[in-house]
Amino acid sequence: MNTAVTDAHDSHDEHHGPAKGIGRWLFSTSHKDIGTMYLIFSLTMFFVGGTMAMVIRSELAIPGLQFVHPEFFNQMTTMHALIMVFGAVMPAFVGLANWMIPLMIGAPDMALPRMNNWSFWILPIAFSILLSTLLMPGGAPAGGWTMYPPLVLQTGDSFPFLIFSVHLMGISSIMGAINIIVTVINMRAPDMSLLKMPMFVWTWLITAYLLIAVMPVLAGAVTMLLTDQFFGTSFFLAAGGGDPVMFQHIFWFFGHPEVYIMILPAFGVVSEVIPTFARKKLFGHDSMVYAASCIAFLSFIVWAHHMFTVGMPLTGQLFFMFATMLIAVPTGVKIFNWVATMWRGAMTFETPMLFSLAFIFLFTIGGFSGLALAIQPADVQYHDTYYVVAHFHYVLVPGSVFAIMAGAYYWLPKWTGHMYNETLGKVHFWASAIFVNITFFPMHFLGLAGMPRRIPDYSTQFSDFNTVASIGAIGFGLSQLLFVWVILTANKGAKATDRVWEGSHGLEWTVPSPAPYHTFDTPPQARIANEAFD
């Protein structure tokens, strides 16, 4: 009798597919569905944050106040940053992780599927709360995404909503990170040791530990802001014996590892794409793992390089200057490894490869300007100018965003079962690559000439480069409509093979395209998959 019940149960499972209608998305515990929702949410927030960037650049296109009041301009800069960091870049990488990590390690799903569903659905609520502040008396937060007191404590009715939404984002991130760690540690294919894991899995494992370490630090900092505002404490209020600079220390102890939370998964994506289109194994896989681990460790001891102008003791300035320069070493190791992987490879230049090559070249420019900012005497001049804006946008847009796009194009045929429009993808790449440089490269010169950041108006000496940057920003924004069109028409292309790309390698390319709703009912052998491709 028991055998019959088991057989019936197995038969049911074999034919069990996704639920129908909206219930599939509301209650789904499938890593593929949840990954898809993360990616759609991220793309939506990318356009919301991008619209705010258009407001900023339209106002700055020519001198004088054109379209918005200075207060609203400050709200736009604050909201743009919060939405792009927490709503666009981070959820996109979590979406890629949800989709690909189980496929890459031979797991049937994420280890904690119900928590996975919850960690996603917290995000739309958090960002609905954040965006609702635009309609509140006093408007949205206007104290910068860093939320420095005492300025942020002058926010109107929206202040507690800002704090609550940041808490929800942090809860979502911590739950996603726990899920990834448990999945990677416990659910790998039996013959996949840690050092045999793909680089994307490795970079996400390290990123997940970073998230668990620093998200509670941000939660503590914003909670202290909340109690200063409403409960009579004086953590950061000088009048009550507090120290506003202490907030900067706490925030940047979160904020600098956060930078690597947004770039380490990008390193992982590029480390998957380049070997595929160079048709070679990744050069120095183990050294890449150690370099990523070094970057993560060093990210905890460089936070005060954001604070060279607050009056730190000389010994503190020297320590943070040299520690920051040290991060260039493991980062350089990664860049040399990618170049060595391509050296004498049989390279082809499909869209994912183009985005990855642009990533290496332009991220390196961002890294060099970061080294310039690490030099304390020079940073006194660069600090809070458009040079800083140029630096972190070169790291985040041609860095994180281009890597996300490389990953999307790379894995899209595996998700949909069809090849996307390659010509349209390349047009999207070239438009993005050209306009991103037109937008952000002139900002280096604006900063060196002394233009402060976060200002809605400026003197005429800065007008030419600002006009160029604004034209570039509008072009870059419009270019992303091509990306949406590629995604919307992805089901109309030629049928994708299981392996998709000639040089692809790893377990995710052993399952059919599109990837079935359930994969790896029995644990696969990673060794057999690699031998087949070799």
Side-chain angles (χ1 to χ4, degrees):
M1 177 66 183
N2 286 343
T3 307
V5 171
T6 305
D7 290 344
H9 179 70
D10 290 344
S11 173
H12 169 75
D13 274 358
E14 187 178 332
H15 296 100
H16 176 64
K20 303 296 183 212
I22 196 169
R24 169 179 178 178
W25 304 102
L26 284 175
F27 308 115
S28 178
T29 53
S30 161
H31 73 97
K32 300 179 181 77
D33 283 352
I34 294 169
T36 301
M37 289 193 291
Y38 265 112
L39 291 167
I40 292 170
F41 175 80
S42 161
L43 188 61
T44 305
M45 289 296 107
F46 182 59
F47 277 97
V48 172
T51 303
M52 293 173 176
M54 294 300 100
V55 173
I56 294 165
R57 286 314 322 171
S58 298
E59 181 57 57
L60 292 172
I62 55 176
L65 294 175
Q66 320 300 327
F67 304 110
V68 296
H69 292 293
E71 297 83 4
F72 187 73
F73 182 89
N74 289 341
Q75 293 172 31
M76 287 291 99
T77 56
T78 303
M79 295 286 280
H80 164 71
L82 288 168
I83 286 166
M84 286 304 203
V85 169
F86 295 109
V89 173
M90 287 173 67
F93 281 127
V94 178
L96 293 176
N98 258 292
W99 243 107
M100 298 315 302
I101 285 177
L103 293 178
M104 288 176 148
I105 65 173
D109 206 316
M110 297 294 277
L112 306 164
R114 292 193 185 281
M115 191 166 88
N116 204 14
N117 173 285
W118 192 27
S119 69
F120 169 75
W121 281 110
I122 286 173
L123 278 182
I125 295 167
F127 282 90
S128 298
I129 292 168
L130 184 62
L131 287 167
S132 72
T133 60
L134 286 162
L135 307 174
M136 294 178 185
W145 84 282
T146 52
M147 298 174 278
Y148 280 178
L151 180 59
V152 77
L153 298 176
Q154 297 167 24
T155 305
D157 293 357
S158 63
F159 180 75
F161 295 90
L162 164 68
I163 304 302
F164 186 42
S165 64
V166 169
H167 272 299
L168 289 175
M169 295 168 205
I171 291 167
S172 170
S173 296
I174 290 168
M175 289 200 298
I178 290 169
N179 214 341
I180 286 166
I181 290 169
V182 176
T183 303
V184 171
I185 297 298
N186 293 314
M187 297 179 69
R188 301 190 307 280
D191 63 336
M192 186 182 280
S193 64
L194 281 172
L195 275 175
K196 287 182 180 171
M197 293 194 310
M199 269 312 297
F200 180 69
V201 180
W202 253 114
T203 54
W204 243 116
L205 180 64
I206 294 165
T207 301
Y209 280 110
L210 283 179
L211 278 165
I212 289 171
V214 302
M215 277 300 175
V217 176
L218 177 65
V222 297
T223 302
M224 286 190 275
L225 282 177
L226 194 74
T227 60
D228 275 7
Q229 183 78 319
F230 295 111
F231 298 102
T233 59
S234 293
F235 291 111
F236 310 125
L237 297 174
D243 182 5
V245 173
M246 182 172 76
F247 177 87
Q248 296 188 30
H249 281 288
I250 300 170
F251 179 88
W252 286 114
F253 188 79
F254 147 80
H256 202 78
E258 168 67 20
V259 172
Y260 294 100
I261 286 164
M262 291 190 285
I263 204 65
L264 281 173
F267 292 166
V269 171
V270 170
S271 299
E272 299 300 324
V273 173
I274 284 177
T276 295
F277 295 101
R279 289 162 183 80
K280 281 175 64 185
K281 284 190 173 177
L282 181 67
F283 181 88
H285 174 279
D286 292 4
S287 67
M288 292 278 269
V289 172
Y290 299 136
S293 305
C294 285
I295 289 169
F297 170 74
L298 290 170
S299 74
F300 284 102
I301 59 169
V302 297
W303 76 88
H305 68 207
H306 298 269
M307 302 168 54
F308 279 147
T309 59
V310 302
M312 269 190 294
L314 181 62
T315 47
Q317 294 179 12
L318 287 170
F319 170 81
F320 286 109
M321 181 168 87
F322 293 135
T324 304
M325 290 179 173
L326 198 57
I327 282 197
V329 176
T331 310
V333 166
K334 290 190 164 299
I335 290 165
F336 283 122
N337 283 23
W338 290 322
V339 172
T341 303
M342 293 185 284
W343 179 251
R344 295 194 171 178
M347 286 207 294
T348 53
F349 299 99
E350 287 85 350
T351 310
M353 185 63 158
L354 290 174
F355 272 106
S356 298
L357 291 171
F359 167 92
I360 294 172
F361 182 69
L362 297 175
F363 175 78
T364 303
I365 291 175
F368 279 133
S369 63
L371 273 175
L373 289 163
I375 301 166
Q376 191 277 336
D379 185 76
V380 172
Q381 296 299 316
Y382 303 143
H383 189 78
D384 265 343
T385 70
Y386 260 77
Y387 190 89
V388 178
V389 178
H391 157 68
F392 70 71
H393 279 92
Y394 260 89
V395 173
L396 282 176
V397 185
S400 299
V401 174
F402 273 25
I404 291 163
M405 289 171 176
Y409 281 109
Y410 182 56
W411 287 308
L412 195 60
K414 179 58 65 181
W415 301 339
T416 64
H418 294 270
M419 298 304 293
Y420 59 86
N421 186 325
E422 185 67 50
T423 305
L424 210 56
K426 286 180 176 173
V427 172
H428 170 230
F429 163 74
W430 284 110
S432 298
I434 291 165
F435 282 121
V436 85
N437 284 290
I438 293 172
T439 305
F440 298 118
F441 204 77
M443 293 183 187
H444 292 99
F445 303 120
L446 288 169
L448 292 172
M451 180 174 166
R453 60 196 282 201
R454 300 191 185 126
I455 55 166
D457 192 12
Y458 52 85
S459 61
T460 53
Q461 75 194 74
F462 304 127
S463 61
D464 292 347
F465 279 135
N466 267 304
T467 303
V468 171
S470 292
I471 291 168
I474 292 164
F476 182 77
L478 293 174
S479 302
Q480 304 324 305
L481 297 174
L482 288 169
F483 186 47
V484 176
W485 184 249
V486 170
I487 293 166
L488 292 176
T489 58
N491 278 324
K492 297 180 179 175
K495 188 83 179 71
T497 61
D498 293 355
R499 194 168 166 188
V500 183
W501 311 108
E502 183 188 331
S504 55
H505 50 278
L507 285 172
E508 73 267 37
W509 306 107
T510 63
V511 303
S513 300
Y517 193 69
H518 293 289
T519 42
F520 302 126
D521 292 329
T522 55
Q525 293 289 316
R527 175 181 53 81
I528 293 170
N530 288 330
E531 284 173 359
F533 292 158
D534 290 343

